[in-house]
Amino acid sequence: MKVMGIREFSMATILAWPIALSAQSADDIGIEGKMLGETIFKSMDTSDLGEIHLGEIEEFRDSVFAGMDYDQNGKVTYEEFSSWDLGFRFVAEEVGRAEAYTTASKIVFAFWDRDGDRELTETEMRFAMSSDFRRADLDDDGLLTQNEFISGFPVIVAMRAAIRPDL
């Protein structure tokens, strides 16, 4: 099975959402954030075991950081961070929650920017995603199930809440 690169995944995901959204009723649209989380989880589960380990998170993080760092200077500004997306922005726009999505992305960026200099370094992102992994690992087994990832990984939780705060 070929593992899709993060840029390929991002474009494929974004292009698929209009079709998925148009086929759903307004009441069902809130599930799109969960479905997107499931898709992201599956792309990270490179071992295809139904759970992800910290090494898979680190591989994902490396790919994401490289994709965000458009000017290749080893730092990611909020502008770079906010222009890179796995599809949550599109879903938020479709359900009229673009402003909430922007707020959620600013909060995530601020939490990850440990020194407050308005730039993420690879070290800051490594620390943030490792901490987020541990926070989501409810049974402390060093693995995230799909449910732990969707329900507890802070970035996924923040973006899903931006899209549909009542879920």
Side-chain angles (χ1 to χ4, degrees):
M1 176 174 129
K2 180 182 181 262
V3 176
M4 194 179 306
I6 201 66
R7 288 184 182 167
E8 295 165 321
F9 167 77
S10 181
M11 286 308 297
T13 302
I14 291 167
L15 294 173
W17 288 116
I19 295 163
L21 285 172
S22 65
Q24 304 221 353
S25 72
D27 291 338
D28 294 334
I29 277 214
I31 333 184
E32 293 303 328
K34 182 178 181 193
M35 290 172 54
L36 185 51
E38 291 169 354
T39 303
I40 294 166
F41 177 87
K42 288 174 185 161
S43 76
M44 294 171 78
D45 181 16
T46 56
S47 60
D48 204 24
L49 296 174
E51 45 197 22
I52 52 179
H53 54 76
L54 190 54
E56 289 169 317
I57 291 284
E58 290 171 354
E59 288 174 21
F60 183 77
R61 182 205 63 239
D62 289 345
S63 179
V64 168
F65 191 88
M68 285 183 190
D69 187 13
Y70 294 116
D71 61 8
Q72 304 294 306
N73 70 348
K75 297 178 181 181
V76 173
T77 63
Y78 176 73
E79 289 72 28
E80 290 171 313
F81 180 83
S82 65
S83 66
W84 191 93
D85 180 58
L86 286 171
F88 284 108
R89 177 181 299 120
F90 176 80
V91 175
E93 289 170 357
E94 284 296 306
V95 297
R97 304 278 304 158
E99 189 174 321
Y101 169 84
T102 298
T103 299
S105 73
K106 287 179 180 180
I107 291 168
V108 169
F109 184 85
F111 276 125
W112 286 9
D113 180 20
R114 297 191 68 206
D115 62 9
D117 68 352
R118 297 182 183 171
E119 295 178 319
L120 290 179
T121 63
E122 288 185 68
T123 301
E124 287 174 316
M125 195 162 171
R126 181 180 307 111
F127 180 84
M129 289 195 77
S130 295
S131 296
D132 290 352
F133 179 91
R134 287 190 303 279
R135 186 173 292 115
D137 185 12
L138 297 177
D139 58 6
D140 290 322
D141 66 352
L143 299 168
L144 293 183
T145 63
Q146 182 171 289
N147 187 52
E148 285 175 318
F149 179 74
I150 291 169
S151 302
F153 202 79
V155 175
I156 302 300
V157 172
M159 297 309 158
R160 287 186 64 214
I163 294 167
R164 184 85 185 261
D166 60 327
L167 292 179

